[in-house]
Amino acid sequence: MDALQPSGSFKDRGMAFMCATLQKRGVTDLISSSGGNAGLAASAAGRKLGMRVRVIVPETTKKIMLDKIKAEGAEVEVHGANWNAADERARQLVAESDHAAYVPPYEDPLLWEGHSSLVDELVRFLGPVAIHTTLANLANGI
């Protein structure tokens, strides 16, 4: 199911929930730090919601990912040699803004709540059956 999301990753589910929740709270601008998929997911969600999205990526981010993020309408800033530097810049931009919220790539309860909706979807699709499997993101989703 999640492979069919715009970014091709489970990250869209959580990002869409987080961005919509932030918008309901009055946020108009989203600022994300990312190496790729999280920024793409934030960009897609923000575009659908009509929000301004800025994605701060490290110098190691591949051009194809930069192009995908830009194609979703986001502003992209390349900053720093690694994700930590890009993340620091994203947090700085949020601190300087009255209307922006920080959209992390993975560590926020709103993201987790959005991701967990997959379980509800599986129950609706499969019915009340025992699921004897563990869902995990291993090796970057491979």
Side-chain angles (χ1 to χ4, degrees):
M1 288 181 267
D2 283 335
L4 302 176
Q5 301 296 330
S7 74
S9 143
F10 74 94
K11 293 195 179 207
D12 287 23
R13 183 180 298 271
M15 281 295 177
F17 181 80
M18 180 177 195
C19 295
T21 301
L22 291 171
Q23 186 180 52
K24 289 176 188 171
R25 294 177 182 172
V27 171
T28 59
D29 297 2
L30 305 170
I31 299 176
S32 178
S33 60
S34 175
N37 284 337
L40 181 57
S43 300
R47 178 185 51 76
K48 290 176 186 171
L49 294 167
M51 301 176 80
R52 179 183 183 199
V53 180
R54 290 181 277 174
V55 181
I56 316 305
V57 298
E59 296 164 0
T60 55
T61 305
K62 298 198 179 328
K63 183 182 180 318
I64 190 168
M65 186 55 73
L66 297 174
D67 292 343
K68 286 180 178 183
I69 293 169
K70 289 176 186 175
E72 290 292 343
E75 301 165 39
V76 176
E77 179 181 333
V78 178
H79 180 86
N82 55 44
W83 175 80
N84 290 329
D87 187 63
E88 185 176 312
R89 174 70 176 144
R91 291 173 190 260
Q92 174 191 3
L93 290 170
V94 171
E96 295 169 357
S97 173
D98 293 331
H99 301 92
Y102 173 67
V103 179
Y106 55 86
E107 78 283 54
D108 191 281
L110 288 175
L111 289 173
W112 306 331
E113 186 176 347
H115 295 325
S116 71
S117 67
L118 174 64
V119 175
D120 298 328
E121 192 173 328
L122 285 170
V123 169
R124 281 194 307 276
F125 181 73
L126 298 175
V129 298
I131 299 174
H132 300 284
T133 187
T134 301
L135 302 176
N137 181 19
L138 304 172
N140 293 321
I142 298 175

